């Protein structure tokens, strides 16, 4: 069975993996890709991954502080405010999922994920930004934002739950 709009001769057939790689290549501007890769190599060489993640979280908090959100009354409004910031700077989008025991944040299409296919510490930037925004929205002190490992480099998943 042919997919992706191919005709009977296979003209126009596009491999989904190649298509996704093409989108990744365009999601991080070329003028930043080399810089980000050099920075990542330096982080990887100079700091343990945990330290790099903490540094990126502090950078994310600074970013969130510079991109303050308006007061909101619902998770849906918070999601909309966050997505307005991400859309303005072309940093992908987020979906907030309310669960019985936690809030889950799914962030897709981060240019850092596209540019830095290696270490997972780059998730720290988003973790720090979400932590700052949620604290500003009234997140309780006993709660925190944590990155969850995923098998998909294009998606970052965070959970908001109790700190132990």
């Amino acid at each position: 069975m042919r997919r992706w709009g191919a005709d009977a001769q296979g003209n126009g057939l596009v491999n989904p993996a190649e298509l996704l790689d093409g989108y990744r290549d365009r999601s991080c501007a070329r003028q930043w890709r080399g810089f980000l890769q050099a920075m990542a190599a330096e982080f990887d060489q100079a700091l343990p991954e945990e330290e790099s993640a903490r540094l990126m979280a502090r950078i994310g908090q600074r970013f969130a502080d510079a991109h303050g959100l308006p007061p909101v009354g619902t998770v849906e409004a918070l999601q909309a405010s966050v997505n307005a910031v991400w859309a303005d700077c072309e940093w992908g989008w987020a979906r907030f999922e309310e669960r019985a025991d936690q809030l889950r944040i799914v962030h897709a299409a981060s240019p850092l994920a596209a540019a830095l296919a290696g270490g997972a510490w780059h998730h720290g930037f988003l973790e720090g930004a979400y932590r700052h925004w949620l604290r500003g929205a009234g997140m309780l002190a006993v709660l925190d934002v944590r990155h969850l490992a995923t098998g998909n480099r294009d998606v970052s998943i965070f959970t908001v739950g109790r700190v132990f």
Side-chain angles (χ1 to χ4, degrees), residues 17-71:
E18 290 173 357
L19 183 63
L20 186 55
D21 285 342
Y23 285 121
R24 280 189 196 110
D25 286 344
R26 287 164 186 78
S27 70
C28 182
R30 286 183 308 201
Q31 75 263 32
W32 287 105
R33 188 176 299 274
F35 168 79
L36 289 171
Q37 290 170 341
M39 182 183 73
E42 187 61 28
F43 278 15
D44 287 342
Q45 184 177 7
L47 298 170
E49 189 168 311
E50 252 180 44
E51 289 294 318
S52 294
R54 279 195 288 274
L55 175 61
M56 289 300 289
R58 289 193 306 271
I59 294 168
Q61 288 173 334
R62 286 183 186 269
F63 174 88
D65 190 45
H67 296 83
L69 302 179

Side-chain angles (χ1 to χ4, degrees), residues 125-136:
F125 174 82
L126 294 171
E127 184 178 291
Y130 287 121
R131 179 178 295 119
H132 186 79
W133 283 327
L134 288 168
R135 285 185 177 152

